[in-house]
Amino acid sequence: MKQQAYRYVKGHCGWDSVTLLYGDEIPVGREHRIAHLLLDPPSHGGIEIGFMYPPEGKEDIRLRIIDSTTRTWLPMCGGMSQVIGLAAFQTDIQQHFHLRKKHPQTTIRIKTDSGLVPIDVGFKGDRPAAIKTRMPDYPDYLYDEGLFPVDVRGIPAMKCGYFLIFRLDDLQRAYPKAEFRHRGPGSDLELLAEIQSAYIRDQGLSASTLYSMIYDLNPEEDGDARIFTRFFKGRGRPQATLFEAQCGTGTIAVGMAMAARKELPFTGNKGRILFEWGSAELTPDPYGLRKSILNMELENDRLISASFSHNIVELQSEGIVYLPSFKHSLY
């Protein structure tokens, strides 16, 4: 059986590994099949697959994303936007989409299912040195899906769009012997999966529409808060990484929850939060304690615009990927 072959770019954003494909090279209607083949062994394409299409309006790139957790279209992936910003002027992406480099900063306009996402790429010499993702439309996307407090089997939480956000202190009060900061396999991670599953069952939701995020206000270094990602897929299984994957959309969702709870580390309508990812004490990370900056503009405690940047964004490979030629479909 003949293998399919497509050009790709792969990168990661603090353990959030993504594969980018050129959408105009993909047969129409085959996106899910191709994404699923890339997400799973033996391809190991990462956590999300992005299809980059030619612009239809004022954007530079039209982007659609299939996620390993939901196994279908995802409205936005912040880490993927950071990888695009880094790859745009170091791979064939620049030539394919006719992007013009301007010093000291170039803005790439990405159109996603959640709205327009400008990516500011700052240069040091000829190399990208700073990448900032601006998401003017994304907060409204989450607000439209709902931001409100919920009770999960006696544990207070916040529902923010398709995120279920817990404060670590609230979880530990309910389960004082559990260690929710560590994402390694075991009973504590299984307990959190069951807590989320209970909420899904109680609310009659689909398991593919909800991600868990945990945060607290007890940073280990110079941050303002910590975030712990907990995305469960298929029968409550966590994504297969022992480290906290940096998540841009989750960063914004946690910032929105903190604003609603009046927990922001600044006064006035503009400011920033410095987030630390995970716990260096429990999970020593090869990159050290990774950090993200969330810039916020508020109106009556409601986020009206946001931008973020992650401190770890790297390219992994570029070339041609040959997909497995399975005789039978698994999907």
Side-chain angles (χ1 to χ4, degrees):
M1 185 176 290
K2 186 177 180 181
Q3 287 184 283
Q4 302 169 60
Y6 302 103
R7 289 193 300 153
Y8 80 96
V9 175
K10 186 177 180 182
H12 83 105
C13 184
W15 301 103
D16 185 353
S17 186
V18 303
T19 294
L20 299 165
L21 300 172
Y22 298 95
D24 53 355
E25 299 177 358
I26 304 299
V28 176
R30 300 280 290 176
E31 294 88 352
H32 280 84
R33 167 72 173 170
I34 290 169
H36 293 170
L37 289 171
L38 282 171
L39 289 168
D40 293 330
S43 298
H44 299 290
I47 296 177
E48 290 97 9
I49 308 299
F51 297 89
M52 302 179 295
Y53 298 93
E56 294 180 334
K58 295 182 179 180
E59 73 273 12
D60 298 298
I61 299 172
R62 187 165 50 91
L63 177 67
R64 298 206 72 197
I65 304 158
I66 290 180
D67 170 52
S68 62
T69 301
T70 65
R71 311 295 291 188
T72 190
W73 299 114
L74 185 71
M76 177 58 191
C77 172
M80 183 175 288
S81 72
Q82 294 270 288
V83 171
I84 290 174
L86 182 62
F89 299 102
Q90 300 188 80
T91 70
D92 284 345
I93 291 175
Q94 180 177 6
Q95 288 73 34
H96 192 88
F97 292 101
H98 310 291
L99 302 177
R100 295 181 58 189
K101 182 190 294 185
K102 299 178 182 179
H103 288 83
Q105 177 178 290
T106 301
T107 297
I108 307 165
R109 296 161 300 178
I110 307 295
K111 182 67 178 295
T112 74
D113 289 350
S114 66
L116 189 67
V117 178
I119 306 168
D120 298 328
V121 183
F123 294 93
K124 186 175 183 179
D126 202 44
R127 305 283 294 181
I131 303 165
K132 181 173 72 173
T133 298
R134 290 188 275 134
M135 299 174 72
D137 299 330
Y138 186 71
D140 283 340
Y141 182 90
L142 292 183
Y143 282 123
D144 287 345
E145 291 212 358
L147 172 63
F148 47 85
V150 295
D151 182 278
V152 186
R153 300 293 173 93
I155 305 168
M158 291 289 288
K159 175 72 162 47
C160 182
Y162 50 89
F163 291 94
L164 183 62
I165 301 172
F166 294 97
R167 281 185 294 211
L168 182 61
D169 296 344
D170 295 328
L171 286 168
Q172 290 183 325
R173 271 192 291 271
Y175 297 94
K177 294 183 179 180
E179 180 50 84
F180 294 103
R181 296 176 299 167
H182 198 294
R183 67 172 293 123
S187 58
D188 295 337
L189 195 63
E190 292 170 4
L191 172 60
L192 186 64
E194 175 52 33
I195 292 170
Q196 174 175 287
S197 295
Y199 177 79
I200 290 171
R201 290 194 302 269
D202 291 348
Q203 299 297 316
L205 300 174
S206 166
S208 67
T209 63
L210 198 64
Y211 297 146
S212 287
M213 304 289 290
I214 304 173
Y215 77 97
D216 71 11
L217 306 179
N218 302 306
E220 297 178 18
E221 292 187 354
D222 59 344
D224 300 305
R226 294 187 297 183
I227 297 183
F228 305 85
T229 57
R230 296 293 182 268
F231 297 168
F232 298 96
K233 64 178 184 178
R235 298 181 181 177
R237 293 175 298 162
Q239 290 179 327
T241 172
L242 294 179
F243 303 107
E244 303 295 344
Q246 288 177 269
C247 174
T249 52
T251 300
I252 291 177
V254 172
M256 291 168 62
M258 291 175 64
R261 289 171 164 166
K262 302 186 183 300
E263 296 175 333
L264 298 178
F266 58 86
T267 58
N269 292 330
K270 292 184 179 180
R272 74 168 203 170
I273 309 174
L274 177 59
F275 285 110
E276 300 174 357
W277 291 89
S279 169
E281 172 191 352
L282 285 179
T283 312
D285 193 302
Y287 289 98
L289 189 59
R290 288 165 295 109
K291 300 175 183 178
S292 301
I293 294 174
L294 173 63
N295 296 290
M296 309 174 69
E297 183 176 355
L298 305 166
E299 189 175 278
N300 298 323
D301 295 326
R302 180 185 173 98
L303 188 60
I304 58 174
S305 69
S307 66
F308 71 90
S309 58
H310 296 321
N311 71 327
I312 302 295
V313 187
E314 295 177 331
L315 298 183
Q316 294 171 280
S317 60
E318 177 188 20
I320 297 175
V321 60
Y322 293 87
L323 299 182
S325 55
F326 296 139
K327 183 177 180 180
H328 301 291
S329 174
L330 299 177
Y331 312 104

